[in-house]
Amino acid sequence: MKRLHRQLKKYGILTLVTIVLALLSVIPLRVAIAYHQTPQPQAILVLGGSEKREEFAAQFAKFHPALKIWVSSGSHPDKSRS
């Protein structure tokens, strides 16, 4: 009886460890799949002629210089900053 109890305890711990390792490996795998499936941005599109939007796009572009900036309708040239 003691032998059976030890074996059950041993397999119980082994099962628990296996479940924990399986769960821990699922998270990095799902992150890797999501990163692979998510397209990388190719441009910044600014809709409308709001100065705040244009300023945000300019600040954002400083951190992402490889992205092109497209403005659908810019601010009036007299109101825009240099």
Side-chain angles (χ1 to χ4, degrees):
M1 200 62 164
K2 285 185 177 185
R3 182 176 172 194
L4 178 64
H5 182 66
R6 275 188 259 142
Q7 284 182 341
L8 287 175
K9 186 176 179 181
K10 178 181 169 182
Y11 288 121
I13 292 172
L14 183 62
T15 303
L16 181 63
V17 168
T18 303
I19 291 171
V20 169
L21 288 176
L23 289 175
L24 289 176
S25 67
V26 167
I27 294 171
L29 180 63
R30 293 192 73 155
V31 169
I33 291 170
Y35 182 76
H36 179 71
Q37 291 178 341
T38 304
Q40 296 299 314
Q42 297 175 358
I44 301 168
L45 174 61
V46 182
L47 298 174
S50 171
E51 290 181 38
K52 289 183 180 182
R53 290 181 191 162
E54 292 176 15
E55 288 176 18
F56 175 81
Q59 292 296 324
F60 188 81
K62 287 181 182 178
F63 293 104
H64 305 280
L67 295 177
K68 297 176 183 177
I69 300 176
W70 299 341
V71 180
S72 66
S73 60
S75 299
H76 193 275
D78 296 336
K79 292 184 178 182
S80 64
R81 299 177 190 173
S82 299

